[in-house]
Amino acid sequence: MTATPTRRLGVGLVSVGWMGQLHSRAYTRIPQVYPELGVTPRLVVAADTAEAGRKHATDVLGFERAVADFHEVINDPEVDVVSVCAPNFLHAEVGIAAAKAGKHVWLEKPVGRGADETAAIRDAVVEAGVVSTIGFNYRQPPAIQRARQLITDGTIGEITNVRGRFFGGFSSDPQSPRAWRFVRELSGSGVLGDLMGHLVDLVHFLLGPVSEITATTGTYITERPGVPGSPDEGKTLPVENEDYANMLLRFDDSAVAKGALGVLDASWLAVGPKAEYAIEVFGTKGSLRWDFERLNELELAVRRPGEGLGYTRLIADDTFPEFSRFQPSSGTPMGYDDLKVIEGKKFIEAILGQGAENSNIHDALASAQVLTAAEASAESGAWVSTPIVEGHTGNIR
């Protein structure tokens, strides 16, 4: 891999928080990990309303300049791509404006506060003809990429059912402040849009689109203290969205998992799990399972004549997609930041017209439609259909 970068790609960033910093590091690493792309991202300008964020952008991340108004990012003629890493309630405003300005967009999820807002962003992206990539980073682990291969090639047979759980405890303390994530106007749904959105996309990626679901939700920490230093400090405020959700699902006839059923659970108040983001897929010949807490491992069981049944632990190595780009051999693990480098690489490939392996705005809408259906089902108790989105990249027959 000795190609010399020949093209500069101007990068704009909106919001210099944790995710914005992660995007910035990913852009910087792409020419090191994927030199054959022939692209060197140039960190042109970052926007953040906080002075500390702007200073971090220039002094630490390496942006040429920083501004307070995101419009200066999307209207900058030297910016080719915009990473939208702001809170949920800004995604539509920023994403639509960036698309209309002709910028390719890397949007964090949930892209919109529900299916309608996500559809509006989709429409703007399609009308502008720009490339979109969505921050569905749990598609990217080499173990998950390998799992998709095993499912697609029939190694575990016809799919019968799937179980998924995305459990985290980062909101399990009832004394943690009521930040924007717990306010419906700002966040939209709660754990549905956050962890369940990732899980639904992972199911789409591995197994294909879902045709209908039924769901329940619950809010178990119903009040939280106001944010320190804000006008609400010292107050006790209501939590306005769910902190636990589950759903039953059926796969569409176009899915690799046609005819299969599934059960998904998501919680951000589970005491014990740190990031137990796990999925198990069962077929007529075998099964596989993966857990983000063991990012570099995939467990596989396959029925073979004359052999006992049980799981074999596969440790990621150079036979797994992308792994050798980051580590020389099995046993040396990849990390979370590496997943964003893979995601960014696929974004750039799509911009260059070198394939479409990236998740896109249609995938964001497909996930959002399931989540909106889940809210409707939780209210009515009924099964709700989830329309198939043209242009999605789910695993189909």
Side-chain angles (χ1 to χ4, degrees), residues 109-110 136 166 190-204 266 363 367-368 371:
K109 45 64 57 195
F136 288 134
F166 269 38
V191 75
L192 275 171
D194 187 19
L195 296 183
M196 188 67 89
H198 272 302
L199 181 54
V200 168
D201 179 73
L202 183 56
V203 166
H204 284 169
D363 296 306
S367 176
L371 303 179

Side-chain angles (χ1 to χ4, degrees), residues 104-354:
H104 305 299
V105 287
W106 185 358
L107 292 147
E108 277 306 314
K109 45 64 57 195
V111 168
R113 293 167 294 180
D116 289 345
E117 191 168 79
T118 306
I121 303 170
R122 186 274 312 270
D123 292 346
V125 167
V126 171
E127 183 177 351
V130 297
V131 171
S132 60
T133 280
I134 313 303
F136 288 134
N137 40 269
Y138 299 105
R139 289 181 170 212
Q140 310 307 337
I144 287 294
Q145 298 285 326
R146 183 73 179 111
R148 177 163 158 146
Q149 292 175 345
L150 293 167
I151 291 165
T152 303
D153 69 18
T155 296
I156 63 173
E158 294 295 317
I159 306 304
T160 58
N161 63 292
V162 59
R163 292 175 57 89
R165 63 191 181 279
F166 269 38
F167 285 178
F170 48 86
S171 296
S172 61
D173 182 357
Q175 295 307 308
S176 63
R178 193 192 74 157
W180 63 266
R181 291 185 181 277
F182 305 105
V183 180
R184 177 162 287 275
E185 181 183 359
L186 301 181
S187 180
S189 61
V191 75
L192 275 171
D194 187 19
L195 296 183
M196 188 67 89
H198 272 302
L199 181 54
V200 168
D201 179 73
L202 183 56
V203 166
H204 284 169
F205 177 71
L206 289 175
L207 301 167
V210 170
S211 63
E212 59 179 341
I213 65 99
T214 182
T216 54
T217 63
T219 305
Y220 297 96
I221 298 178
T222 59
E223 297 180 329
R224 292 182 181 273
V227 175
S230 76
D232 292 325
E233 183 174 9
K235 298 179 183 178
T236 299
L237 303 170
V239 172
E240 298 177 358
N241 47 29
E242 77 290 337
D243 47 31
Y244 173 77
N246 62 24
M247 70 173 70
L248 303 177
L249 59 87
R250 290 191 179 100
F251 285 94
D252 185 73
D253 286 348
S254 66
V256 164
K258 174 185 177 181
L261 302 174
V263 57
L264 309 180
D265 294 87
S267 172
W268 59 20
L269 50 70
V271 177
K274 298 295 185 183
E276 190 175 286
Y277 306 152
I279 192 163
E280 302 171 82
V281 182
F282 296 88
T284 54
K285 296 180 182 178
S287 65
L288 55 82
R289 58 190 185 188
W290 174 83
D291 187 339
F292 178 70
E293 290 186 349
R294 302 203 313 270
L295 171 67
N296 295 276
E297 301 177 21
L298 178 66
E299 292 186 285
L300 175 66
V302 179
R303 185 187 303 279
R304 294 186 176 90
E307 295 184 11
L309 291 175
Y311 282 101
T312 298
R313 186 177 64 149
L314 308 178
I315 306 297
D317 60 17
D318 60 6
T319 66
F320 282 49
E322 305 288 352
F323 182 84
S324 62
R325 296 295 188 137
F326 298 88
Q327 299 298 348
S329 63
S330 61
T332 305
M334 288 175 58
Y336 181 83
D337 282 26
D338 297 331
L339 307 183
K340 282 298 182 186
V341 177
I342 298 172
E343 195 170 280
K345 168 254 193 179
K346 292 178 179 179
F347 180 34
I348 290 176
E349 282 183 326
I351 293 169
L352 297 176
Q354 297 179 0

